[in-house]
Amino acid sequence: MEKRVVFRGRWLPVALIAPQIAIILVFFYWPAIQALVQSVFIQDAFGGRMEFVGLENFEVLFADELYLNSFRITAIFSVAVAAIGLVTSLALAYFADRAIRGALAFRTMLIIPYAVAPAIVGVLWMFLFNPTLGIVAHWLRGFGIDWNHVLDGDQAMILVIIAAVWKQISYNFIFFLAGLQSIPKSLIEAAALDGAGAWRTFRSVIFPLLSPTTFFLLVINVVYAFFDTFAIIDAATEGGPAKATEILVYKVFYDGFKALDIGSSAAQSVVLMAIVLVLTFVQFRFIERRVQY
Amino acid sequence: MKNERFAALGGWARSGLAVALVSAGLTASMPASAQTEIQWWHSMTGALGDRLNSLADRFNKSQSEYKVTAVYKGSYPESMTAGIAAFRAGNAPHIIQVFEVGTATMMAAKGAIVPVEKLMKDAGYKFDRTAYVPAVAGFYTTNKGEMLSFPFNSSTTVFYYNKDAFAKAGIAKVPETWPEVAAAAAKIKASNAASCGYTSSWASWVHMESFSAWHNVAFATENNGFGGTKARLVVNTPVHERHLNNLAQWAKDGWFLYPGRTNQGDAKFYSGECAMFTGSSAAYANVKRNAKFDFGIAKLPYYSDVPGAPQNTVIGGASLWVMSGKKPAEYKGVAKFFDFLSSPEVQAEWHQATGYLPLTIAAYELTKKSGFYDKNPGTDVSVQQMIVKTTDKSRGVRLGNFVQIRDVIHEEMESMLAGKQTAKQALEKITSRGNDLLARFERTARE
């Protein structure tokens, strides 16, 4: 039977919940409302003059092919980061789970990158791939690849994807490993008795049982690629060259904080809010249904 | 369940951080002592930061009434943004150091700033605009003739070359024109005297802004933006196209290396990788400290067949803006501090130590008399490039939304250097995208 605690008074529950409500109001609703308001004005940097322009900021945005291009870049970037990150970390977790000797050392090493700050990740990979000084760029030249992400947009995109995936792999790894360890050995042994090979066991037994973890990580990774990769991009490419790595969040930052165009920046955050709403809805409505708990 | 707990943890961590930030902000804005405190936000790091702090220290020791507190607020764009945010929150510092591309934005914000000329006069100081190097002071002066900000650190674009590499490649004459630079780069590559012939920091500043003034070609209408906020870009000319075409060709031939948008070229030069380099005159301190070879400084190259070239180059660097809404006593202190900063001795010392331009004619004369230029050949190149009578096309470039316009220029140049478009297409896109930004700025600016 379910146990329920019932509060008698009216004020105790209110008092208990008030701090959380206050935090949500101050740190979420207030800025969100500000963004909504500012998105319908244009103003000078100092906020001295505001002009109500209705939806003009949005019209300008959607008529701007660079903004539309930023959507395309964000899509490529987040799909690549989520897909490559999940597949790689699942593979690593699968083998780390099977490792018998030195398992603890492997796991610890795989988890360490998560402790590195995103901006440092960006700088680290930028140095490795630096066209003239970087060691990786040097190796690539040995293979006949002329690496110059300062001018080549595709290479810059590959660089930020590698950096973003590398940073996130350890997080995914921990969850996948925990998921793998919670699968009862008896199921796997039963599959082996039925004559299933390693791949077949993985596909038909392990992967379906991992689906709640995978779904959770999918959500987290998409959110990560959308929002948390900002520092990596800022440190590695600053959105360049020629906007080749300017994802939506970076553009909000650039227009708001470097270009001081607060109206446009606010309009873009409103668009981002809408995207997050849609993404969350799609993920829980359509993908979660297929997940077997 | 696990997930929820993680989410909650994240939420708490974030709000904890926010609380920490807010309280940090509160303590920072608390007055320190009975002395009148003057907050000065700046963006100088390393050796330059040390110099700046020593200026504040010396001022504080020279009197007891005021105390200037110098606070490093991040890079130029960061400290400008921080200053604007602080102003909007009613918490602005007294003085902010703003880079030259932010000038039009600051000028357009009447009411947010106190003109330096007015500040000095109100405090009872004589303010002589003619004491300043015209190309420097002119940049911060309105078209009505009022100087709005205090020029602090101004630099310009110059040409550096590696003498050792030149000797190895058998180059006897220092290149003066762009075709000579190309010929020298070819020789350096052919003789393997360096792995790269020529590189440049600040592509837009050197190859578009200074390039225009140096050839006496307009960059924008309304006297490059000095005349008002209706200015529009006019860089789509045969002269610009020829130069960009050359850069693209030289990049293809391996003579020119594009290192990035800001000062990345400095290191490519002083590490010995590139034998020739164009960049800021203020790169001098770093080049001198790091270069393990003999180097020389010369005037920026030009095209000798363009009429009027060479004219003068444009300034970069930053000036000090005084924010509005402070107490009269505090403004007195700011004026006293500016008076201290503009004394010929302080100015001459700053110029000699940093490679920034002397801001006053007196500081230049003092440096010359001390024999500094003879002992350090090349350090007067920047001054000579600047001390000429400027034209309407060469006074500088002062445009609204200039931070973005510079990025637009860099983006289109990058596309061109990557072989995705021609110089002509790049200039067309720079003009149309830049003009959209100018039109947007015009709407919010207050004249």
Side-chain angles (χ1 to χ4, degrees):
Chain A
M1 205 192 109
E2 208 180 343
K3 232 184 169 181
R4 232 179 226 181
V5 181
V6 180
F7 289 106
R8 289 274 156 69
R10 179 183 293 188
W11 294 109
L12 183 62
V14 171
L16 287 175
I17 211 171
Q20 185 62 32
I21 297 267
I23 285 166
I24 291 175
L25 284 178
V26 171
F27 293 107
F28 179 72
Y29 282 101
W30 188 32
I33 290 166
Q34 286 256 312
L36 277 172
V37 171
Q38 289 182 341
S39 69
V40 292
F41 285 91
I42 65 175
Q43 54 179 306
D44 77 325
F46 288 85
R49 199 167 89 168
M50 304 246 297
E51 183 192 339
F52 180 76
V53 291
L55 294 178
E56 190 193 307
N57 284 328
F58 293 93
E59 282 160 21
V60 170
L61 268 184
F62 285 101
D64 182 0
E65 60 177 280
L66 287 168
Y67 187 60
L68 303 178
N69 190 42
S70 183
F71 272 96
R72 198 179 59 86
I73 286 163
T74 313
I76 294 171
F77 177 73
S78 34
V79 168
V81 169
I84 299 172
L86 288 176
V87 171
T88 318
S89 42
L90 179 56
L92 288 173
Y94 183 70
F95 291 114
D97 189 37
R98 288 163 59 111
I100 297 160
R101 262 206 250 169
L104 189 69
F106 284 132
R107 279 175 215 162
T108 315
M109 268 155 58
L110 282 165
I111 289 165
I112 283 175
Y114 195 60
V116 182
I120 295 172
V121 174
V123 172
L124 185 77
W125 286 94
M126 186 187 69
F127 272 121
L128 287 174
F129 280 90
N130 185 299
T132 50
L133 305 170
I135 185 133
V136 180
H138 182 72
W139 291 337
L140 286 171
R141 252 195 306 281
F143 290 111
I145 300 167
D146 184 22
W147 183 271
N148 186 1
H149 67 261
V150 179
L151 279 179
D152 188 318
D154 296 335
Q155 291 181 353
M157 182 54 116
I158 293 170
L159 172 68
V160 289
I161 289 174
I162 291 175
V165 167
W166 182 80
K167 168 93 177 86
Q168 191 65 1
I169 276 181
S170 25
Y171 183 86
N172 298 342
F173 171 79
I174 298 170
F175 279 88
F176 272 133
L177 191 66
L180 284 169
Q181 286 178 341
S182 66
I183 294 172
K185 287 280 174 287
S186 57
L187 287 176
I188 294 164
E189 280 157 12
L193 283 178
D194 286 343
W199 172 244
R200 180 73 209 220
T201 313
F202 177 79
R203 215 180 50 136
S204 305
V205 180
I206 298 177
F207 192 67
L209 287 168
L210 271 180
S211 58
T213 312
T214 313
F215 171 68
F216 165 70
L217 286 177
L218 180 70
V219 176
I220 293 289
N221 275 265
V222 170
V223 170
Y224 165 76
F226 254 78
F227 297 102
D228 290 353
T229 47
F230 163 80
I232 292 177
I233 288 180
D234 193 38
T237 63
E238 291 191 49
K243 300 212 183 286
T245 53
E246 192 177 68
I247 60 170
L248 290 167
V249 171
Y250 196 79
K251 192 169 159 58
V252 170
F253 160 78
Y254 176 83
D255 286 344
F257 290 94
K258 282 200 169 161
L260 302 169
D261 186 346
I262 289 149
S264 175
S265 183
Q268 290 171 41
S269 3
V270 171
V271 172
L272 267 182
M273 273 192 246
I275 292 175
V276 173
L277 277 177
V278 171
L279 269 183
T280 316
F281 179 78
V282 168
Q283 276 172 334
F284 282 92
R285 184 86 176 74
F286 296 104
I287 303 179
E288 199 185 25
R289 276 186 172 178
R290 305 222 193 125
V291 172
Q292 307 165 17
Y293 285 103
Chain B
M1 183 58 210
K2 207 179 347 179
N3 313 348
E4 279 165 29
R5 207 183 309 150
F6 269 90
L9 270 177
W12 277 112
R14 243 171 286 148
S15 40
L17 184 70
V19 170
L21 285 175
V22 168
S23 49
L26 284 177
T27 39
S29 63
M30 232 114 71
S33 65
Q35 273 178 324
T36 307
E37 197 196 351
I38 292 157
Q39 288 270 338
W40 179 17
W41 288 6
H42 68 86
S43 304
M44 308 258 87
T45 53
L48 294 174
D50 295 343
R51 286 272 156 198
L52 182 146
N53 283 323
S54 93
L55 287 179
D57 275 350
R58 269 157 59 194
F59 174 73
N60 292 341
K61 284 193 186 116
S62 72
Q63 45 76 49
S64 58
E65 219 176 322
Y66 308 102
K67 183 171 177 284
V68 171
T69 311
V71 184
Y72 172 71
K73 273 281 165 180
S75 67
Y76 282 137
E78 281 164 7
S79 60
M80 181 171 167
T81 315
I84 289 171
F87 177 81
R88 291 175 76 122
N91 241 334
H94 302 81
I95 309 170
I96 310 182
Q97 182 189 25
V98 176
F99 59 161
E100 92 282 7
V101 289
T103 302
T105 302
M106 300 299 289
M107 281 191 164
K110 296 265 163 63
I113 57 129
V114 181
V116 163
E117 230 179 293
K118 183 176 175 303
L119 173 98
M120 299 304 276
K121 279 177 189 153
D122 286 355
Y125 289 94
K126 204 164 64 115
F127 186 83
D128 181 12
R129 207 182 302 136
T130 58
Y132 292 85
V133 175
V136 175
F139 192 82
Y140 302 107
T141 305
T142 62
N143 47 345
K144 289 186 199 91
E146 188 180 30
M147 196 158 112
L148 293 187
S149 64
F150 182 82
F152 177 64
N153 55 317
S154 296
S155 52
T156 192
T157 52
V158 291
F159 177 77
Y160 296 78
Y161 58 98
N162 181 331
K163 285 186 180 168
D164 295 3
F166 269 31
K168 209 170 158 194
I171 303 163
K173 183 177 169 286
V174 179
E176 281 174 24
T177 66
W178 286 113
E180 284 171 18
V181 170
K187 269 192 189 166
I188 286 157
K189 283 293 273 189
S191 63
N192 237 341
S195 64
C196 136
Y198 162 68
T199 191
S200 180
S201 289
W202 310 105
S204 171
W205 186 36
V206 173
H207 295 287
M208 293 296 288
E209 297 153 42
S210 244
F211 177 85
S212 305
W214 200 221
H215 292 85
N216 204 22
V217 186
F219 187 86
T221 57
E222 301 275 332
N223 300 337
N224 289 345
F226 282 83
T229 53
K230 287 189 173 54
R232 296 293 183 268
L233 298 182
V234 287
V235 289
N236 193 0
T237 72
V239 180
H240 291 97
E241 190 188 336
R242 170 186 177 187
H243 187 55
L244 290 195
N245 251 330
N246 280 338
L247 285 179
Q249 187 57 46
W250 298 339
K252 227 192 210 163
D253 295 337
W255 299 346
F256 166 58
L257 177 81
Y258 176 82
R261 295 177 184 180
T262 62
N263 65 350
Q264 291 98 329
D266 299 18
K268 301 230 177 274
F269 176 70
Y270 61 64
S271 68
E273 192 186 334
C274 296
M276 293 178 284
F277 154 68
T278 48
S280 165
S281 59
Y284 172 75
N286 264 329
V287 171
K288 195 175 176 189
R289 188 196 291 170
N290 295 306
K292 294 189 177 58
F293 51 83
D294 214 8
F295 72 95
I297 305 174
K299 287 188 178 178
L300 198 68
Y302 61 103
Y303 292 98
S304 51
D305 55 331
V306 175
Q311 170 56 37
N312 63 276
T313 50
V314 301
I315 65 162
S319 68
L320 305 182
W321 291 82
V322 182
M323 304 308 290
S324 66
K326 302 288 172 188
K327 293 191 192 84
E330 295 168 346
Y331 285 128
K332 275 226 161 88
V334 175
K336 194 170 177 127
F337 181 52
F338 282 178
D339 187 54
F340 164 81
L341 285 181
S342 52
S343 74
E345 292 74 27
V346 171
Q347 276 299 316
E349 187 198 310
W350 173 252
H351 160 57
Q352 291 166 23
T354 60
Y356 282 115
L357 293 165
L359 301 179
T360 56
I361 310 278
Y364 172 61
E365 300 292 344
L366 200 65
T367 307
K368 205 154 114 184
K369 231 190 278 164
S370 74
F372 178 81
Y373 298 132
D374 300 328
K375 271 179 259 155
N376 300 277
T379 46
D380 57 340
V381 167
S382 58
V383 190
Q384 282 165 13
Q385 274 181 191
M386 296 302 290
I387 301 195
V388 289
K389 200 171 174 340
T390 57
T391 71
D392 282 344
K393 291 169 190 148
S394 78
R395 223 168 127 201
V397 178
R398 200 168 71 198
L399 299 170
N401 279 341
F402 202 22
V403 180
Q404 292 133 290
I405 292 174
R406 261 203 181 164
D407 280 333
V408 164
I409 291 172
H410 287 141
E411 284 164 21
E412 298 302 340
M413 279 176 90
E414 283 162 1
S415 283
M416 179 194 80
L417 292 170
K420 285 189 195 135
Q421 62 183 357
T422 63
K424 181 88 188 144
Q425 286 166 327
L427 288 167
E428 274 163 12
K429 280 203 200 143
I430 287 169
T431 312
S432 70
R433 287 178 61 195
N435 286 346
D436 287 347
L437 290 164
L438 286 169
R440 201 166 159 89
F441 178 76
E442 194 188 335
R443 291 176 57 182
T444 57
R446 279 172 290 176
E447 286 268 24

